[in-house]
Each structure stands twice: as C-alpha cells, then as structure tokens.
C-alpha cells in the first residue's frame, strides 16, 4: 500500500558464479513490499556500477516515489537518493520480503544453489534465466 504516494522497496543481492567459483557474480534485486513484485534487477559485479544498474532498472514511478530499504552496502548509498534510502539491519524485518525472495530464487533456479553442478557457464545464460524467472514470478503474483 502506498503511504503519502510513496512506494516501499526492498533491495538486496544474491551471490552466484559463472564458470567457476573464482568468477563471482551478483544478482541485484528490488522488490515492492506491498505486492511482492520484482521491480528491478541487475546481474553483474558487486560494486558501485552494479548498484547504479539496479537503480537504472527501476521504473520512473519507483525512482520518483520509492523509499528504499537495504542492509547497508556502501554501493546503495551512491545509487539511491539519500533522503529516501533507509539502511536497516536484517533482523529489523524491513527487508524480510527481499530475503524471502532470495530464498525462492535459490530454491527454484538451480544455478543459484551454492553447492551444485548446475552453475551457469555464461553470464548471458545466467541473465536470461534470472529474467525469465522474474517474468514467471511476477506473472504468477499478478494473475493467480
């Protein structure tokens, strides 16, 4: 539910790898708290550019009206507007939706399971499978 026209968005990252465990890749996600919809995503490195890419993946409505809750990596501070960015602890419950989504991703995408032989061999394949999952996940929320 919007309060005073604001959208409450939780953001977090999930670690995985491509090719070998030496090639870290991070999936940056943003979820709208009320609906549970994934509203932004970026697949890449865990750096300032990754946080900015997550910001760029958001709709104008989210960018203009979002209050953003994160667990505090400095990269978010460089990407999200300071007056609407809230750094919270994982135990606060203010990022519980995104943490649950991270678990759902790990359960349903074999490439994200930490101890597996089902890892992606290319960033393109990983990105495609993540976006396909997001599309199916959002469609299930909207139409079921």
């Amino acid at each position: 539910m919007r309060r005073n026209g604001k959208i409450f968005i939780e953001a977090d990252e999930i670690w995985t790898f491509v090719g070998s465990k030496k090639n870290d890749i991070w999936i940056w996600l943003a979820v709208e708290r009320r609906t549970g919809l994934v509203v932004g995503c970026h697949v890449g490195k865990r750096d300032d550019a990754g946080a900015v890419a997550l910001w760029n993946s958001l709709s104008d409505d989210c960018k203009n009206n979002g209050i953003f809750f994160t667990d505090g990596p400095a990269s978010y501070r460089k990407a999200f507007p300071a007056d609407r960015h809230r750094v919270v602890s994982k135990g606060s419950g203010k990022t519980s939706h995104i943490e649950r989504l991270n678990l759902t991703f790990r359960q349903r995408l074999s490439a994200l399971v930490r101890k597996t032989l089902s890892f992606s061999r290319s960033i393109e394949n990983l990105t495609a499978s993540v976006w396909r999952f997001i599309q199916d996940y959002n469609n299930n929320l909207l139409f079921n």
Side-chain angles (χ1 to χ4, degrees), residues 5-9 61-68 81 84-85:
K6 296 297 180 191
I7 305 167
F8 297 97
I9 298 171
D61 189 31
C62 289
K63 288 178 187 176
N64 295 328
N65 299 302
I67 302 293
F68 301 94
R84 292 184 285 124
H85 180 219

Side-chain angles (χ1 to χ4, degrees), residues 6-125:
K6 296 297 180 191
I7 305 167
F8 297 97
I9 298 171
E10 301 173 17
D12 201 14
E13 328 78 51
I14 307 171
W15 172 84
T16 190
F17 61 93
V18 171
S20 77
K21 288 191 176 181
K22 295 176 185 172
N23 189 14
D24 289 350
I25 298 294
W26 293 84
I27 301 167
W28 298 74
L29 294 168
V31 64
E32 197 275 321
R33 186 180 286 170
R34 180 183 59 84
T35 62
L37 292 171
V38 178
V39 294
C41 178
H42 170 68
V43 179
K45 297 295 179 186
R46 191 179 195 203
D47 55 14
D48 295 347
V52 169
L54 175 64
W55 171 260
N56 290 334
S57 74
L58 297 171
S59 71
D60 288 340
D61 189 31
C62 289
K63 288 178 187 176
N64 295 328
N65 299 302
I67 302 293
F68 301 94
F69 296 87
T70 69
D71 56 4
S75 298
Y76 287 120
R77 292 183 186 106
K78 295 179 180 173
F80 295 158
D83 62 326
R84 292 184 285 124
H85 180 219
R86 311 290 188 267
V87 177
V88 297
S89 67
K90 288 192 187 260
S92 71
K94 297 191 186 254
T95 58
S96 61
H97 295 88
I98 192 76
E99 296 295 342
R100 176 61 234 167
L101 179 64
N102 290 348
L103 294 173
T104 300
F105 263 75
R106 287 207 186 277
Q107 288 175 343
R108 296 193 187 160
L109 286 175
S110 61
L112 302 182
V113 176
R114 292 174 190 226
K115 295 182 180 181
T116 183
L117 296 175
S118 301
F119 58 90
S120 290
R121 286 171 175 73
S122 76
I123 189 76
E124 294 81 12
N125 287 347

